[in-house]
Amino acid sequence: LQGDKDRSVVAISHVLGEPGLKGRDGLIADAWSAGLKDLAPTLLRILEDPDPGVRGWSACALGSFGGVAAVEALERRVRVETDSHAAWEMRVALGRLGRPYLKHFLTGLGDRNPQRRYLCTVALGTLADYVPLPLEIPAEETPERAASLRFFK
């Protein structure tokens, strides 16, 4: 992905548009790491891809550089997403873009599934606006649990 970024974007866009190719999710991750923001229109299109890994990684990248168009597309897609991990990535991306998913992630901290608790903790640490976190804690929370959330400020 080094060198001519414009050519890289064109080539990557072409590859990502081929649903049968394996490894596209890894290519999205590499493009995200390289900061190829010009891929945003392609990433928006492939939010509808049949591969949940592609949808999830697209959401991750869009959460970093997608802008207003990404918010609208992610909000539409997360409502119909059938893969739980891809849906989680979309909620995190929306949170990074400043959308209100605090309640979802806070609720997840009390989930019986340890993986969901972990993922919700990670998500809370990446949201764009975590100042209102203490205001979102339900009244029935214990003072100890509320204190444990303070590190997110």
Side-chain angles (χ1 to χ4, degrees), residues 62-136:
L62 289 167
S64 293
F65 52 71
V68 175
V71 170
E72 294 169 5
L74 287 164
E75 284 180 337
R76 266 192 320 271
R77 181 64 208 185
V78 76
R79 285 187 210 116
V80 297
E81 181 56 56
T82 57
D83 182 82
S84 61
H85 191 73
W88 178 82
E89 294 288 3
M90 290 171 193
R91 288 185 187 103
V92 171
L94 285 163
R96 285 185 183 140
L97 294 167
R99 300 313 284 182
Y101 274 92
L102 283 175
K103 188 170 185 161
H104 172 80
F105 294 123
L106 285 172
T107 303
L109 294 176
D111 198 276
R112 291 182 182 180
N113 180 331
Q115 183 179 13
R116 180 160 186 243
R117 286 194 310 265
Y118 171 77
L119 292 174
C120 287
T121 302
V122 171
L124 286 167
T126 65
L127 299 182
D129 182 15
Y130 32 74
V131 173
L133 249 175
L135 302 176
E136 291 287 332

